[in-house]
Amino acid sequence: MEGLEIRNCNSKKGKALFATRKYEQGEVILEEDPLVSCQFAWNAAYRYLACDFCMRPLETPEQNVRRLSCKPDIVLPHSNSFELNLECVTSCNHCSVLYCSESCRERAFLTYHRLLCYDTTDAQHPITVLLEAWKQMHYPPETTSIMLLVRILAYIEQSPDPPAASARVKQFCHRTVNEDAELVHKLLGEQFTDQLNTLRELTSNVVNGDYIQEFLTPEGFCSLMALIGTNGQGIGTSPLAQWVNAVVEITMSDDERQQLDLFIDKLYQYVEEESGTFLNTEGSGLYQLQSSCNHSCLPNAEPSFPYGNHRIQLKALKTIMPGSEICISYLDECSLQRSRHSRQKELAQNYMFVCWCERCIEQASQPDCTSEEEMSEDEVDADD
């Protein structure tokens, strides 16, 4: 892509994304659609209506907040400030899976759905059995979905050039077998070996073929599971959030603004009381360019989903000069503000690396205790 270059760094860091031109603060660095994406299993089970291809929500902000809060009489002011076009919603002719448009339905069918179309009411269908097994192993909050892995396999099998598609998927891998096993252990818990074999057998019942046999061996399946664990980018779409962002831009008096802010705070309180963490339509996707971005605790770029679907946008948080590596944060904003030891502990557990970014090097003299431990010590000192 113009203005960007993927380079292979050292064996530990793997690939990295570099700027080949200057990017100003706030400038869009890249936009891309994923190779495949998928809603989380538990998210779908909680009846989050979304396009099965691009994850665009299929309900209005008012319908969304009424369902999430279980308050059917809520009326959103300024509802005309954000319009969600649901007139083009369509479905698969065979399985009734919903799509936001005919274009998404066709793209899904050509990419993976031809092999994965099934009767969703059939409790004994291999996909239903696999999803139920996954949900019993991986309670919310989810970080990935077994169906993302299944769609990758179907994507390879359905491709006009399966060897090329397989090679494209393998480009995401750069770890050892031992590292893969450690990561999967983290994803699946104490019984990961047994669970991994169960998932592998159930997956092979869903999709099989000559071009994906290497991914259905014990070692290959472990590698693919680790791949989606480390390279899968979280996707969150929310009609409620899009409405909030739209009404923020409306010109109004200070009193009106204060009343609206209180109303929005109350909405989120209702939603949290009823739905807890299930606020957005959530899932994950596999992005070729974005997955090359390494982590930094002082990121110079930030991913977002401004179109309300799975299309990702990367924006510069500060001026980026030619030759500079483009880095994002793998941690959320809250975790990013914690101590060096807390950040490194979370990164090591979830992504299998020790961070030596500029910020971590500067804070190397900090004590090796987590933010919680630091707070406990401060409380003890205060009591003394």
Side-chain angles (χ1 to χ4, degrees), residues 298-352:
L298 275 177
N300 57 11
E302 182 178 47
S304 63
F305 298 89
Y307 303 108
N309 60 11
H310 67 191
R311 185 168 181 80
I312 200 169
Q313 184 181 85
L314 205 62
K315 270 188 178 181
L317 291 173
K318 58 187 77 171
T319 300
I320 301 173
M321 300 304 291
S324 299
E325 184 179 355
I326 296 170
C327 294
I328 61 176
S329 173
Y330 294 177
L331 304 173
D332 61 31
E333 191 60 37
C334 182
S335 296
L336 205 56
Q337 301 309 315
R338 301 172 75 194
S339 70
R340 176 192 62 88
H341 185 69
S342 293
R343 299 194 311 268
Q344 293 204 337
K345 183 177 180 182
E346 186 173 340
L347 290 166
Q349 286 179 338
N350 293 313
Y351 298 98
M352 305 284 300

Side-chain angles (χ1 to χ4, degrees), residues 1 30 120 150 176 180 215 257:
M1 185 175 179
L30 66 85
T120 55
V150 168
T176 67
D180 282 342
F215 295 109
R257 175 66 61 195

Side-chain angles (χ1 to χ4, degrees), residues 202-274:
L202 294 178
T203 298
S204 64
N205 291 339
V206 171
V207 57
N208 216 312
D210 295 339
Y211 297 105
I212 59 173
Q213 284 308 305
E214 62 180 305
F215 295 109
L216 294 174
T217 65
E219 186 177 300
F221 192 78
C222 182
S223 174
L224 201 54
M225 180 68 76
L227 180 152
I228 64 171
T230 52
N231 293 284
Q233 164 67 45
I235 302 169
T237 61
S238 165
L240 174 58
Q242 288 178 293
W243 171 80
V244 169
N245 291 336
V247 296
V248 163
E249 301 300 321
I250 298 174
T251 301
M252 59 182 72
S253 69
D254 290 344
D255 283 347
E256 286 176 312
R257 175 66 61 195
Q258 187 176 13
Q259 290 300 313
L260 183 61
D261 288 344
L262 289 171
F263 178 76
I264 291 171
D265 288 343
K266 202 70 176 173
L267 285 182
Y268 280 112
Q269 183 183 329
Y270 290 150
V271 168
E272 186 175 347
E273 288 171 356
E274 184 63 35

Side-chain angles (χ1 to χ4, degrees), residues 153-211:
L153 296 176
Y155 157 77
I156 294 171
E157 275 295 308
Q158 278 196 209
S159 172
D161 188 349
S166 177
R168 201 170 295 128
V169 169
K170 289 177 186 175
Q171 287 176 356
F172 289 94
C173 303
H174 61 262
R175 292 173 308 276
T176 67
V177 173
N178 287 339
E179 286 174 324
D180 282 342
E182 283 187 57
L183 182 61
V184 174
H185 193 162
K186 166 69 181 174
L187 285 172
L188 296 178
E190 291 303 316
Q191 306 301 317
F192 90 102
T193 302
D194 292 340
Q195 291 183 346
L196 193 64
N197 284 329
T198 299
L199 289 173
R200 183 172 63 86
E201 291 169 5
L202 294 178
T203 298
S204 64
N205 291 339
V206 171
V207 57
N208 216 312
D210 295 339
Y211 297 105

Side-chain angles (χ1 to χ4, degrees), residues 8 23-25 32 50 67 70 98 106 124 143 149 164 195 216 232 237 242 283 289 297 305 309-310 362 374:
N8 285 313
Y23 288 94
E24 301 290 352
Q25 181 178 351
E32 67 172 326
R67 179 175 57 76
C70 274
L98 295 174
E106 290 175 356
Q124 300 306 313
T143 54
L149 184 150
Q195 291 183 346
L216 294 174
T237 61
Q242 288 178 293
L289 280 173
C297 297
F305 298 89
N309 60 11
H310 67 191
E362 286 179 356
E374 289 170 1

